[in-house]
Amino acid sequence: MSSFSALNGAFTALTAQRVALEVTGQNISNVNTAGYTRQRAGMEAISGTTRPTMFATGGAPASGVRITSIDRLGDIFLETKLRTQTASTARLEAVAGTWSLVETTLKEPGENGLAAGLDTFFTSWDDVANRPDDAAARSVLLGNATALASSIANGYRAAANQWDSTRAQADAMAVDVNTAAVAVADLNGRIRDAQVSGDNANALIDQRGVLLDGLAAMVGGEVRERADGSVDVMISGNALVRGDRAYAVAVHGSTTLADLSSAGTEPAEGWGSKEGPARLVWAATGNAAVSSGGRVVGLLDSIAPDGPVAGLARTYNEIATTVATEVNALHSSVPGADGTSRDFFAFSPAGTPPALSLTVAVTRDQVVTGNPGEVDGTLAARIADLGGAREQWASAVTQIGVSSGAAYRRAQAAESTRATAESQLLSQTAVDLDEESVNLVMYQRAYEASARVMTTIDQMLDTLINRTGVVGR
């Protein structure tokens, strides 16, 4: 009887080693598959049983080995750490990218920057001061003034376009978040059903892990595992995914910079879905979905009223106002040849942002250079010495450069931390070809040895059955 037990043990060993070989081959096949977590075949000995007889002297011998599970070698703590760092890095990189674009649109220093336009404009007043009776110098002045107003307007439009584009990106990313959340909820249901029925759900868990990593990069959140194999994804305590159900988010608020600029203060009943600052909300209720990380949050930070894009647009408005105020104050202080005091600049049409409505309000003959009736350039010289707008712009450019550099360094530091967390996780979950090669040889040798045991027992049984007790043959 023990020989048959040994034969069964050899058979179970063959089966177990074959499964282990298949799992090792699966690992090797997926060495370059994104999101794949290596697996191991869990084995345990099949213990012997006690013989249910009155005079039994011992139990039945052990009868081999069996596969208990195909284990996915993940690490929930390292996965959580990586997702947290990914969410933080994605938010900081979005903000840093916006600052970089803002810095690029300035074109400073350079001949096409606003600083050069301001210098050219005020230098033109110097030329007029030196030649107050020269009509050509006045024409050049008016041309440079028009070019300055156009440069300010173009800068504002570039900021507005960047704001609108970033707002559209946030909208699109909210759609991506909802799509990923629905996919996670679907996989939750499939994983739960697979585990209840005893099927292997490791491939589904890997697919869900990729989606959860994507959600972390987009919107952050906290992942909580359930006993049935499903997970909940929480944003500030509220569920984005709960079991096999997903809850949609949306981006509410102004859809253009012009709408944001004209929004005013928040009414007592709160902002409408198309009013106020752009913000992430729960689509069903409109309540704020506050998250501390993710790219969509970084994009919304970038277009906040105190963010870099709206700040740049506000700077252009301030420059336009400063230039007009300074020049008009001096130019209108002395009457022209017809005895009328005139502003050099005007804002038209009314109700338009100053940067877009700044226009030259005088003709060549209405430019005042000094005392009326005299060839006098003293007033033009005083205007040429005005430095408020130039200093204001230089300060703004410097501040943007400092803020952009700081945002880049923060994003770089966060990426370094994220890369470390990723490396730690991969050291645990990624396929190591050297290790798998050793396992391949180990399981192969075990399989061959089990086959050899089976062959040996077969020969023993052949001798016992066919040769024992045969006399005279």
Side-chain angles (χ1 to χ4, degrees):
M1 183 66 181
S2 62
S3 296
F4 289 102
S5 175
L7 187 63
N8 182 69
F11 171 73
T12 60
L14 280 173
T15 303
Q17 305 309 321
R18 176 182 58 78
V19 172
L21 278 169
E22 290 173 354
V23 172
T24 302
Q26 175 76 354
N27 288 340
I28 294 173
S29 299
N30 288 279
V31 64
N32 293 319
T33 301
Y36 179 80
T37 300
R38 63 187 178 132
Q39 303 177 23
R40 284 288 178 271
M43 303 182 191
E44 71 173 8
I46 300 176
S47 60
T49 60
T50 302
R51 290 175 178 172
T53 61
M54 181 179 299
F55 302 104
T57 58
S63 57
V65 63
R66 62 185 167 203
I67 298 294
T68 58
S69 62
I70 306 298
D71 299 320
R72 178 178 176 272
L73 303 182
D75 190 312
I76 184 174
F77 300 105
L78 293 178
E79 289 174 358
T80 299
K81 180 180 179 181
L82 176 58
R83 286 170 187 149
T84 300
Q85 295 298 332
T86 297
S88 175
T89 300
R91 178 178 186 174
L92 293 174
E93 286 183 342
V95 174
T98 300
W99 275 112
S100 178
L101 287 174
V102 165
E103 194 173 20
T104 301
T105 61
L106 299 180
K107 302 176 183 178
E108 299 287 2
E111 60 182 14
N112 296 319
L114 182 57
L118 288 166
D119 287 341
T120 300
F121 170 68
F122 286 108
T123 299
S124 298
W125 280 104
D126 254 334
D127 294 338
V128 171
N130 293 330
R131 296 173 293 165
D133 58 342
D134 189 346
R138 297 186 186 191
S139 296
V140 171
L141 168 65
L142 294 180
N144 290 335
T146 301
L148 174 62
S150 177
S151 179
I152 294 174
N154 289 338
Y156 183 91
R157 290 191 187 97
N161 289 338
Q162 185 178 345
W163 196 99
D164 297 349
S165 174
T166 304
R167 175 66 171 80
Q169 288 182 50
D171 268 334
M173 191 153 292
V175 174
D176 292 341
V177 168
N178 293 335
T179 301
V182 169
V184 169
D186 176 66
L187 284 170
N188 272 343
R190 293 165 62 188
I191 290 168
R192 181 186 58 207
D193 294 344
Q195 293 192 347
V196 167
S197 62
D199 293 336
N200 188 328
N202 289 345
L204 297 176
I205 294 174
D206 284 344
Q207 293 176 32
R208 186 181 65 186
V210 173
L211 290 171
L212 291 174
D213 292 343
L215 278 176
M218 288 188 288
V219 77
E222 175 189 1
V223 177
R224 300 176 184 175
E225 290 201 5
R226 290 184 170 192
D228 62 2
S230 63
V231 298
D232 295 339
V233 182
M234 313 298 290
I235 298 178
S236 296
N238 296 305
L240 177 65
V241 177
R242 190 185 299 278
D244 57 1
R245 295 187 61 187
Y247 301 87
V249 296
V251 176
H252 282 185
S254 303
T255 56
T256 65
L257 179 61
D259 293 339
L260 177 67
S261 301
S262 61
T265 58
E266 183 177 4
E269 64 274 12
W271 295 114
S273 63
K274 301 296 184 183
E275 302 170 343
R279 58 203 180 275
L280 187 68
V281 301
W282 296 105
T285 64
N287 294 331
V290 181
S291 177
S292 59
R295 180 170 175 78
V296 65
V297 179
L299 294 175
L300 295 176
D301 287 345
S302 299
I303 58 176
D306 58 349
V309 184
L312 178 60
R314 193 161 47 248
T315 297
Y316 281 114
N317 282 332
E318 291 169 353
I319 293 297
T321 301
T322 299
V323 168
T325 301
E326 286 188 335
V327 174
N328 288 347
L330 289 178
H331 192 269
S332 63
S333 65
V334 177
D338 60 357
T340 302
S341 297
R342 293 183 175 85
D343 287 338
F344 187 86
F345 286 111
F347 293 103
S348 178
T352 308
L356 296 179
S357 58
L358 182 67
T359 58
V360 178
V362 295
T363 63
R364 183 183 64 182
D365 295 333
Q366 292 172 339
V367 174
V368 179
T369 62
N371 294 324
E374 302 178 13
V375 180
D376 181 18
T378 55
L379 181 64
R382 290 172 61 194
I383 295 176
D385 290 337
L386 292 173
R390 286 180 281 191
E391 292 173 3
Q392 188 177 11
W393 179 247
S395 176
V397 170
T398 300
Q399 185 59 48
I400 289 172
V402 170
S403 298
S404 177
Y408 173 77
R409 288 189 293 272
R410 286 195 296 270
Q412 216 175 21
E415 171 57 24
S416 177
T417 304
R418 189 209 63 80
T420 300
E422 182 180 39
S423 177
Q424 291 173 342
L425 178 62
L426 290 177
S427 68
Q428 170 69 23
T429 63
V431 176
D432 184 338
L433 286 178
D434 292 335
E435 180 182 354
E436 299 302 329
S437 297
V438 171
N439 289 338
L440 200 63
V441 173
M442 179 179 66
Y443 294 134
Q444 180 186 9
R445 293 291 182 242
Y447 185 90
E448 292 172 350
S450 299
R452 182 61 177 168
V453 169
M454 182 173 286
T455 301
T456 301
I457 295 173
D458 178 63
Q459 291 175 350
M460 291 170 59
L461 290 173
D462 177 66
T463 300
L464 177 65
I465 294 171
N466 296 319
R467 298 178 185 274
T468 302
V470 178
V471 180
R473 288 186 181 181

mmCIF file of all heavy atoms in Angstrom, residues 196-231:
data_model
loop_
_atom_site.group_PDB
_atom_site.id
_atom_site.type_symbol
_atom_site.label_atom_id
_atom_site.label_comp_id
_atom_site.label_asym_id
_atom_site.label_seq_id
_atom_site.Cartn_x
_atom_site.Cartn_y
_atom_site.Cartn_z
ATOM 1 N N VAL A 196 -14.488 34.944 -4.796
ATOM 2 C CA VAL A 196 -15.559 34.156 -4.177
ATOM 3 C C VAL A 196 -15.649 32.770 -4.812
ATOM 4 O O VAL A 196 -15.879 31.765 -4.126
ATOM 5 C CB VAL A 196 -16.910 34.901 -4.310
ATOM 6 C CG1 VAL A 196 -18.071 33.978 -3.959
ATOM 7 C CG2 VAL A 196 -16.926 36.117 -3.402
ATOM 8 N N SER A 197 -15.434 32.704 -6.119
ATOM 9 C CA SER A 197 -15.524 31.417 -6.820
ATOM 10 C C SER A 197 -14.221 30.640 -6.802
ATOM 11 O O SER A 197 -14.154 29.537 -7.351
ATOM 12 C CB SER A 197 -15.951 31.654 -8.271
ATOM 13 O OG SER A 197 -14.991 32.452 -8.958
ATOM 14 N N GLY A 198 -13.179 31.200 -6.178
ATOM 15 C CA GLY A 198 -11.909 30.497 -6.071
ATOM 16 C C GLY A 198 -10.993 30.642 -7.260
ATOM 17 O O GLY A 198 -9.963 29.958 -7.346
ATOM 18 N N ASP A 199 -11.317 31.521 -8.205
ATOM 19 C CA ASP A 199 -10.463 31.732 -9.380
ATOM 20 C C ASP A 199 -9.291 32.652 -9.037
ATOM 21 O O ASP A 199 -9.321 33.397 -8.052
ATOM 22 C CB ASP A 199 -11.268 32.337 -10.526
ATOM 23 C CG ASP A 199 -12.312 31.371 -11.057
ATOM 24 O OD1 ASP A 199 -12.131 30.157 -10.883
ATOM 25 O OD2 ASP A 199 -13.314 31.853 -11.638
ATOM 26 N N ASN A 200 -8.270 32.588 -9.879
ATOM 27 C CA ASN A 200 -7.101 33.453 -9.707
ATOM 28 C C ASN A 200 -7.421 34.835 -10.271
ATOM 29 O O ASN A 200 -7.725 34.979 -11.458
ATOM 30 C CB ASN A 200 -5.899 32.846 -10.437
ATOM 31 C CG ASN A 200 -4.605 33.581 -10.135
ATOM 32 O OD1 ASN A 200 -4.604 34.792 -9.909
ATOM 33 N ND2 ASN A 200 -3.509 32.841 -10.119
ATOM 34 N N ALA A 201 -7.329 35.880 -9.422
ATOM 35 C CA ALA A 201 -7.664 37.249 -9.843
ATOM 36 C C ALA A 201 -6.430 38.139 -9.959
ATOM 37 O O ALA A 201 -6.557 39.365 -10.037
ATOM 38 C CB ALA A 201 -8.649 37.866 -8.854
ATOM 39 N N ASN A 202 -5.226 37.534 -9.972
ATOM 40 C CA ASN A 202 -4.010 38.350 -9.967
ATOM 41 C C ASN A 202 -3.910 39.276 -11.173
ATOM 42 O O ASN A 202 -3.496 40.437 -11.041
ATOM 43 C CB ASN A 202 -2.770 37.443 -9.917
ATOM 44 C CG ASN A 202 -2.608 36.780 -8.561
ATOM 45 O OD1 ASN A 202 -3.231 37.198 -7.594
ATOM 46 N ND2 ASN A 202 -1.784 35.753 -8.490
ATOM 47 N N ALA A 203 -4.279 38.791 -12.350
ATOM 48 C CA ALA A 203 -4.201 39.636 -13.549
ATOM 49 C C ALA A 203 -5.154 40.816 -13.429
ATOM 50 O O ALA A 203 -4.822 41.944 -13.808
ATOM 51 C CB ALA A 203 -4.511 38.818 -14.793
ATOM 52 N N LEU A 204 -6.352 40.577 -12.883
ATOM 53 C CA LEU A 204 -7.310 41.665 -12.696
ATOM 54 C C LEU A 204 -6.802 42.673 -11.670
ATOM 55 O O LEU A 204 -6.986 43.887 -11.835
ATOM 56 C CB LEU A 204 -8.658 41.103 -12.246
ATOM 57 C CG LEU A 204 -9.377 40.169 -13.237
ATOM 58 C CD1 LEU A 204 -10.646 39.617 -12.602
ATOM 59 C CD2 LEU A 204 -9.699 40.909 -14.527
ATOM 60 N N ILE A 205 -6.153 42.187 -10.631
ATOM 61 C CA ILE A 205 -5.609 43.087 -9.609
ATOM 62 C C ILE A 205 -4.504 43.955 -10.203
ATOM 63 O O ILE A 205 -4.399 45.144 -9.885
ATOM 64 C CB ILE A 205 -5.092 42.271 -8.405
ATOM 65 C CG1 ILE A 205 -6.263 41.578 -7.706
ATOM 66 C CG2 ILE A 205 -4.356 43.164 -7.420
ATOM 67 C CD1 ILE A 205 -5.850 40.630 -6.592
ATOM 68 N N ASP A 206 -3.692 43.358 -11.084
ATOM 69 C CA ASP A 206 -2.643 44.162 -11.751
ATOM 70 C C ASP A 206 -3.265 45.248 -12.623
ATOM 71 O O ASP A 206 -2.803 46.394 -12.647
ATOM 72 C CB ASP A 206 -1.756 43.253 -12.606
ATOM 73 C CG ASP A 206 -0.771 42.452 -11.765
ATOM 74 O OD1 ASP A 206 -0.570 42.817 -10.589
ATOM 75 O OD2 ASP A 206 -0.224 41.462 -12.276
ATOM 76 N N GLN A 207 -4.324 44.889 -13.361
ATOM 77 C CA GLN A 207 -5.003 45.889 -14.188
ATOM 78 C C GLN A 207 -5.570 47.014 -13.326
ATOM 79 O O GLN A 207 -5.459 48.193 -13.664
ATOM 80 C CB GLN A 207 -6.134 45.234 -14.979
ATOM 81 C CG GLN A 207 -5.680 44.234 -16.036
ATOM 82 C CD GLN A 207 -6.859 43.546 -16.708
ATOM 83 O OE1 GLN A 207 -7.932 44.124 -16.860
ATOM 84 N NE2 GLN A 207 -6.669 42.302 -17.095
ATOM 85 N N ARG A 208 -6.156 46.651 -12.218
ATOM 86 C CA ARG A 208 -6.703 47.663 -11.317
ATOM 87 C C ARG A 208 -5.591 48.529 -10.735
ATOM 88 O O ARG A 208 -5.758 49.747 -10.566
ATOM 89 C CB ARG A 208 -7.497 46.986 -10.199
ATOM 90 C CG ARG A 208 -8.221 47.965 -9.286
ATOM 91 C CD ARG A 208 -8.967 47.231 -8.192
ATOM 92 N NE ARG A 208 -8.052 46.530 -7.295
ATOM 93 C CZ ARG A 208 -8.431 45.710 -6.324
ATOM 94 N NH1 ARG A 208 -9.728 45.467 -6.140
ATOM 95 N NH2 ARG A 208 -7.550 45.107 -5.550
ATOM 96 N N GLY A 209 -4.440 47.925 -10.445
ATOM 97 C CA GLY A 209 -3.321 48.691 -9.906
ATOM 98 C C GLY A 209 -2.847 49.773 -10.862
ATOM 99 O O GLY A 209 -2.519 50.894 -10.447
ATOM 100 N N VAL A 210 -2.821 49.454 -12.163
ATOM 101 C CA VAL A 210 -2.431 50.457 -13.162
ATOM 102 C C VAL A 210 -3.431 51.615 -13.159
ATOM 103 O O VAL A 210 -3.049 52.787 -13.218
ATOM 104 C CB VAL A 210 -2.338 49.811 -14.561
ATOM 105 C CG1 VAL A 210 -2.110 50.867 -15.624
ATOM 106 C CG2 VAL A 210 -1.212 48.780 -14.597
ATOM 107 N N LEU A 211 -4.715 51.288 -13.084
ATOM 108 C CA LEU A 211 -5.736 52.340 -13.054
ATOM 109 C C LEU A 211 -5.633 53.174 -11.781
ATOM 110 O O LEU A 211 -5.799 54.405 -11.817
ATOM 111 C CB LEU A 211 -7.125 51.714 -13.155
ATOM 112 C CG LEU A 211 -7.494 51.097 -14.504
ATOM 113 C CD1 LEU A 211 -8.799 50.317 -14.396
ATOM 114 C CD2 LEU A 211 -7.603 52.169 -15.580
ATOM 115 N N LEU A 212 -5.361 52.533 -10.656
ATOM 116 C CA LEU A 212 -5.226 53.271 -9.397
ATOM 117 C C LEU A 212 -4.015 54.200 -9.438
ATOM 118 O O LEU A 212 -4.069 55.317 -8.914
ATOM 119 C CB LEU A 212 -5.101 52.289 -8.230
ATOM 120 C CG LEU A 212 -6.368 51.490 -7.901
ATOM 121 C CD1 LEU A 212 -6.076 50.442 -6.829
ATOM 122 C CD2 LEU A 212 -7.488 52.417 -7.444
ATOM 123 N N ASP A 213 -2.938 53.751 -10.075
ATOM 124 C CA ASP A 213 -1.765 54.627 -10.235
ATOM 125 C C ASP A 213 -2.130 55.834 -11.094
ATOM 126 O O ASP A 213 -1.704 56.963 -10.822
ATOM 127 C CB ASP A 213 -0.611 53.851 -10.872
ATOM 128 C CG ASP A 213 -0.044 52.778 -9.954
ATOM 129 O OD1 ASP A 213 -0.314 52.838 -8.730
ATOM 130 O OD2 ASP A 213 0.656 51.876 -10.451
ATOM 131 N N GLY A 214 -2.920 55.586 -12.144
ATOM 132 C CA GLY A 214 -3.350 56.688 -12.994
ATOM 133 C C GLY A 214 -4.243 57.665 -12.251
ATOM 134 O O GLY A 214 -4.108 58.886 -12.399
ATOM 135 N N LEU A 215 -5.149 57.148 -11.428
ATOM 136 C CA LEU A 215 -6.005 58.023 -10.623
ATOM 137 C C LEU A 215 -5.184 58.848 -9.651
ATOM 138 O O LEU A 215 -5.463 60.032 -9.436
ATOM 139 C CB LEU A 215 -7.040 57.191 -9.859
ATOM 140 C CG LEU A 215 -8.294 56.770 -10.613
ATOM 141 C CD1 LEU A 215 -9.156 55.866 -9.753
ATOM 142 C CD2 LEU A 215 -9.088 57.997 -11.046
ATOM 143 N N ALA A 216 -4.168 58.235 -9.059
ATOM 144 C CA ALA A 216 -3.311 58.972 -8.125
ATOM 145 C C ALA A 216 -2.631 60.128 -8.839
ATOM 146 O O ALA A 216 -2.525 61.240 -8.295
ATOM 147 C CB ALA A 216 -2.270 58.036 -7.515
ATOM 148 N N ALA A 217 -2.156 59.890 -10.068
ATOM 149 C CA ALA A 217 -1.500 60.954 -10.818
ATOM 150 C C ALA A 217 -2.475 62.044 -11.232
ATOM 151 O O ALA A 217 -2.105 63.216 -11.315
ATOM 152 C CB ALA A 217 -0.811 60.372 -12.053
ATOM 153 N N MET A 218 -3.738 61.685 -11.467
ATOM 154 C CA MET A 218 -4.702 62.673 -11.933
ATOM 155 C C MET A 218 -5.357 63.448 -10.803
ATOM 156 O O MET A 218 -5.512 64.667 -10.881
ATOM 157 C CB MET A 218 -5.782 61.988 -12.787
ATOM 158 C CG MET A 218 -5.281 61.533 -14.142
ATOM 159 S SD MET A 218 -6.612 60.943 -15.218
ATOM 160 C CE MET A 218 -7.025 59.389 -14.440
ATOM 161 N N VAL A 219 -5.757 62.727 -9.746
ATOM 162 C CA VAL A 219 -6.565 63.390 -8.718
ATOM 163 C C VAL A 219 -6.171 63.020 -7.296
ATOM 164 O O VAL A 219 -6.774 63.498 -6.337
ATOM 165 C CB VAL A 219 -8.058 63.068 -8.965
ATOM 166 C CG1 VAL A 219 -8.401 61.657 -8.489
ATOM 167 C CG2 VAL A 219 -8.963 64.098 -8.329
ATOM 168 N N GLY A 220 -5.125 62.206 -7.119
ATOM 169 C CA GLY A 220 -4.717 61.831 -5.771
ATOM 170 C C GLY A 220 -5.700 60.860 -5.153
ATOM 171 O O GLY A 220 -6.234 59.967 -5.805
ATOM 172 N N GLY A 221 -5.966 61.027 -3.870
ATOM 173 C CA GLY A 221 -6.912 60.158 -3.192
ATOM 174 C C GLY A 221 -6.226 59.073 -2.390
ATOM 175 O O GLY A 221 -5.022 58.845 -2.487
ATOM 176 N N GLU A 222 -7.011 58.400 -1.583
ATOM 177 C CA GLU A 222 -6.532 57.331 -0.706
ATOM 178 C C GLU A 222 -7.211 56.033 -1.099
ATOM 179 O O GLU A 222 -8.425 55.986 -1.303
ATOM 180 C CB GLU A 222 -6.852 57.672 0.758
ATOM 181 C CG GLU A 222 -6.492 56.573 1.742
ATOM 182 C CD GLU A 222 -7.016 56.850 3.136
ATOM 183 O OE1 GLU A 222 -7.674 57.896 3.327
ATOM 184 O OE2 GLU A 222 -6.798 56.004 4.025
ATOM 185 N N VAL A 223 -6.426 54.953 -1.199
ATOM 186 C CA VAL A 223 -6.949 53.642 -1.573
ATOM 187 C C VAL A 223 -7.079 52.791 -0.310
ATOM 188 O O VAL A 223 -6.119 52.625 0.435
ATOM 189 C CB VAL A 223 -6.034 52.941 -2.589
ATOM 190 C CG1 VAL A 223 -6.559 51.545 -2.914
ATOM 191 C CG2 VAL A 223 -5.928 53.766 -3.874
ATOM 192 N N ARG A 224 -8.284 52.268 -0.094
ATOM 193 C CA ARG A 224 -8.538 51.399 1.063
ATOM 194 C C ARG A 224 -8.993 50.030 0.577
ATOM 195 O O ARG A 224 -9.957 49.927 -0.175
ATOM 196 C CB ARG A 224 -9.617 52.008 1.965
ATOM 197 C CG ARG A 224 -9.262 53.382 2.518
ATOM 198 C CD ARG A 224 -10.426 53.940 3.322
ATOM 199 N NE ARG A 224 -10.146 55.303 3.800
ATOM 200 C CZ ARG A 224 -11.034 56.059 4.438
ATOM 201 N NH1 ARG A 224 -12.260 55.581 4.673
ATOM 202 N NH2 ARG A 224 -10.699 57.285 4.837
ATOM 203 N N GLU A 225 -8.305 48.988 1.025
ATOM 204 C CA GLU A 225 -8.642 47.636 0.601
ATOM 205 C C GLU A 225 -9.741 47.054 1.484
ATOM 206 O O GLU A 225 -9.780 47.286 2.687
ATOM 207 C CB GLU A 225 -7.405 46.736 0.638
ATOM 208 C CG GLU A 225 -6.386 47.056 -0.439
ATOM 209 C CD GLU A 225 -5.470 45.884 -0.713
ATOM 210 O OE1 GLU A 225 -5.692 44.800 -0.127
ATOM 211 O OE2 GLU A 225 -4.541 46.058 -1.518
ATOM 212 N N ARG A 226 -10.612 46.249 0.859
ATOM 213 C CA ARG A 226 -11.666 45.543 1.579
ATOM 214 C C ARG A 226 -11.326 44.061 1.692
ATOM 215 O O ARG A 226 -10.490 43.543 0.937
ATOM 216 C CB ARG A 226 -13.003 45.689 0.851
ATOM 217 C CG ARG A 226 -13.608 47.081 0.885
ATOM 218 C CD ARG A 226 -14.959 47.043 0.204
ATOM 219 N NE ARG A 226 -15.716 48.266 0.387
ATOM 220 C CZ ARG A 226 -16.997 48.387 0.081
ATOM 221 N NH1 ARG A 226 -17.655 47.356 -0.424
ATOM 222 N NH2 ARG A 226 -17.632 49.529 0.270
ATOM 223 N N ALA A 227 -11.999 43.387 2.606
ATOM 224 C CA ALA A 227 -11.733 41.971 2.816
ATOM 225 C C ALA A 227 -12.123 41.124 1.613
ATOM 226 O O ALA A 227 -11.556 40.053 1.390
ATOM 227 C CB ALA A 227 -12.487 41.487 4.055
ATOM 228 N N ASP A 228 -13.075 41.585 0.812
ATOM 229 C CA ASP A 228 -13.526 40.803 -0.345
ATOM 230 C C ASP A 228 -12.666 41.018 -1.584
ATOM 231 O O ASP A 228 -12.994 40.533 -2.668
ATOM 232 C CB ASP A 228 -14.986 41.109 -0.665
ATOM 233 C CG ASP A 228 -15.209 42.582 -1.043
ATOM 234 O OD1 ASP A 228 -14.222 43.344 -1.096
ATOM 235 O OD2 ASP A 228 -16.377 42.969 -1.288
ATOM 236 N N GLY A 229 -11.562 41.768 -1.440
ATOM 237 C CA GLY A 229 -10.655 41.981 -2.566
ATOM 238 C C GLY A 229 -10.880 43.278 -3.313
ATOM 239 O O GLY A 229 -10.026 43.695 -4.095
ATOM 240 N N SER A 230 -12.008 43.938 -3.107
ATOM 241 C CA SER A 230 -12.273 45.218 -3.762
ATOM 242 C C SER A 230 -11.585 46.344 -2.992
ATOM 243 O O SER A 230 -11.076 46.140 -1.876
ATOM 244 C CB SER A 230 -13.778 45.475 -3.844
ATOM 245 O OG SER A 230 -14.338 45.584 -2.546
ATOM 246 N N VAL A 231 -11.543 47.528 -3.582
ATOM 247 C CA VAL A 231 -10.925 48.683 -2.941
ATOM 248 C C VAL A 231 -11.875 49.877 -3.022
ATOM 249 O O VAL A 231 -12.719 49.957 -3.923
ATOM 250 C CB VAL A 231 -9.570 49.055 -3.588
ATOM 251 C CG1 VAL A 231 -8.565 47.933 -3.460
ATOM 252 C CG2 VAL A 231 -9.747 49.470 -5.053
#
